Amino acid sequence: MMLKSVTESFAKVIHGLKVGHLTDQVIQRSKRMILDTLGVGFLGTSTEVFHKASQYSKIYSSNISSTVWGQPDFRLPPTYAAFVNGVAIHSMDFDDTWHPATHPSGAVLPVLTALSEALPQSPKFSGLDLLLAFNVGIEVQGRLMHFSKEAKDIPKRFHPPSVVGTLGSAAAASKLLGLSLTKCQEALAIAVSYAGAPMANAATETKPLHTGNAAKHGIEAAFLAMLGLQGNKQVLDLEAGFGAFYANYSPKVLPNLDSHTWLLDQQDVAIKSFPAHLSTHWVTDAAASVRKHLITEKALFPTEHIKRVVLRIPNVQYVNRPFPNSEHEARHSFQYVACAMLLDGDITVSSFQKHQINRPQVRELLSKVELEYPPDNLPSFDTLYCEISVTLKDGATFTHRSDTFYGHWRKPLSQKDLEAKFRANASRTLSCDTVESLIKIVEKLEDLEDCSVLTTLLQGSSPPEAASKLFRCNNSITQSFLGFTNF
């Protein structure tokens, strides 16, 4: 029987997808996403926004609790563990990015680690259970974004993780909890009323809350649906429902399960090599190539010899920040990442510290940057490019164009470099032994019989003998990752 409701068709997919529907490529790609998301989440526990979110969440308590990643002495109710872990993941804008544009993993993975640990289950949740629920959450986000032309571009109004991420979170929670088809449909309806956060808070300390809230609200939507709360059963069909978030919204009933294909099979994610808005990665790639022409045998070029730096980029206003004054603004500044790459030859986690942003030579070079918006350079992560021209005072001009950077889905990170990124990020919080154990567990996640093995490691606790190796391990990891990030 042909379904007439888009919302019902989503519920049917969420409820009906089984482990057997997973393809080898979807499993491999999602394991890479999970490892990367865990790493940036561990790194994010060092940020100020994570600490503020954690302090706030401590006022909540429950008889059941879940791990806050990398914090062995800090547990929270599942909804708030998902919230603070989601905040950590997006705290540096270091998490994966998909097309159409969103950060898909950060709203979903914290939900699954929190629920798999907190809820009684017999038999225990397996790695395949986690992989299935994770991919259901990713799939729902992608399907929703394909209903609007607006969603294919870099966003202007709503931050996508706060919109599709909230529904992906609810879908993943519903799948892991084993909700009925009807309750899956109700969870989606409830989640829509939790969704939405404006792009005006991009480049601020509030933006990471969008991902944390998406994770938290998705769990709440699933729990409320379990308790019988009802919403509009046509919420995804209506312009006044989910269509309120996107112009030109044209939803379609999903195909039957027997002909289901995964969007992740067709479209991989981008995985970042430094923590900043994805569009800035084209800028650094182009700037690195130009920089090779500006270095003498003895020293870096003098900035006073530069007359003008022109960036030809898409018109994305919230990444146009001529003189950023905070780490969050710098992560959303075409101008800053170009100058930092030209000056330093590399962009790392420390590039966005206040003292780096405010260096006199950086501010001087920033004053020479101009932006141009070629009409063919559209604001889409699938098609955009960056061309940089550096003109010296003697009249010489050096130009380079980047169409794809290393880490984009057209040029994905190698598994070796993905693991190097994870080691560099996670080793700031975990022992070397725990870091290596996590890599091995995620690598064979489909064979894991009990997810408690994973969630125990996420706590950050480690044997005493492992701690003694931490300093030596961290030094070798740092050197390994520096080799990966050099352009």
Side-chain angles (χ1 to χ4, degrees), residues 313-331:
I313 51 174
N315 187 358
V316 182
Q317 283 304 307
Y318 74 95
V319 197
N320 174 9
R321 299 184 186 271
F323 295 97
N325 290 311
S326 71
E327 62 166 296
H328 298 284
E329 289 184 0
R331 297 182 201 283

Side-chain angles (χ1 to χ4, degrees), residues 121-150:
Q121 171 78 1
S122 182
K124 292 290 186 180
F125 293 111
S126 69
L128 276 173
D129 292 329
L130 189 147
L131 281 166
L132 177 61
F134 178 83
N135 278 290
V136 165
I138 302 301
E139 181 76 4
V140 164
Q141 295 178 68
R143 293 286 178 177
L144 289 169
M145 289 188 295
H146 276 79
F147 293 160
S148 167
K149 292 181 180 178
E150 178 187 354

Side-chain angles (χ1 to χ4, degrees), residues 335-485:
Q335 296 91 331
Y336 175 74
V337 296
C339 293
M341 175 56 77
L342 288 172
L343 287 168
D344 303 329
D346 197 9
I347 304 286
T348 67
V349 170
S350 62
S351 298
F352 300 93
Q353 295 174 354
K354 192 84 171 179
H355 71 275
Q356 294 286 348
I357 299 167
N358 290 329
R359 286 177 291 166
Q361 60 269 47
V362 170
R363 308 312 277 191
E364 179 191 355
L365 197 53
L366 282 169
S367 68
K368 301 177 181 182
V369 179
E370 303 171 10
L371 302 186
E372 294 181 358
Y373 306 121
D376 67 331
N377 200 354
L378 303 177
S380 164
F381 290 139
D382 199 41
T383 62
L384 76 83
Y385 64 87
C386 171
E387 185 175 273
I388 181 171
S389 294
V390 177
T391 300
L392 305 182
K393 288 183 177 178
D394 65 6
T397 297
F398 303 98
T399 299
H400 187 82
R401 169 170 163 158
S402 172
D403 292 298
T404 305
F405 62 88
Y406 183 48
H408 191 271
W409 47 82
R410 288 192 295 270
K411 196 176 180 182
L413 291 189
S414 68
Q415 187 64 25
K416 178 181 177 181
D417 284 343
L418 176 68
E419 291 177 6
K421 177 186 175 182
F422 176 79
R423 289 187 179 98
N425 289 337
S427 65
R428 295 170 182 246
T429 303
L430 306 179
S431 73
C432 183
D433 285 359
T434 303
V435 169
E436 296 306 315
S437 294
L438 280 168
I439 290 174
K440 290 176 183 176
I441 283 176
V442 175
E443 182 183 10
K444 300 291 185 183
L445 190 56
E446 66 269 39
D447 299 326
L448 187 66
E449 295 182 357
D450 184 353
C451 276
S452 67
V453 177
L454 172 64
T455 54
T456 298
L457 289 171
L458 296 182
Q459 295 173 13
S461 54
S462 58
E465 62 269 19
S468 66
K469 303 175 185 176
L470 184 56
F471 180 75
R472 175 169 52 84
C473 179
N474 282 353
N475 281 341
S476 65
I477 288 169
T478 300
Q479 293 303 315
S480 171
F481 190 61
L482 285 176
F484 152 56
T485 56

Side-chain angles (χ1 to χ4, degrees), residues 14 79 111 115 119 166-180 183-191 194 214-229:
I14 294 166
T79 50
V111 171
L115 291 178
L119 300 180
T166 304
L167 276 79
S169 166
S174 298
K175 188 63 185 176
L176 197 70
L177 294 170
L179 267 59
S180 68
K183 292 195 182 298
C184 287
Q185 192 168 354
E186 300 293 2
L188 292 173
I190 298 164
Y194 276 124
K216 172 177 173 285
H217 291 153
I219 292 181
E220 290 179 346
F223 281 168
L224 289 168
M226 286 178 68
L227 293 170
L229 191 72

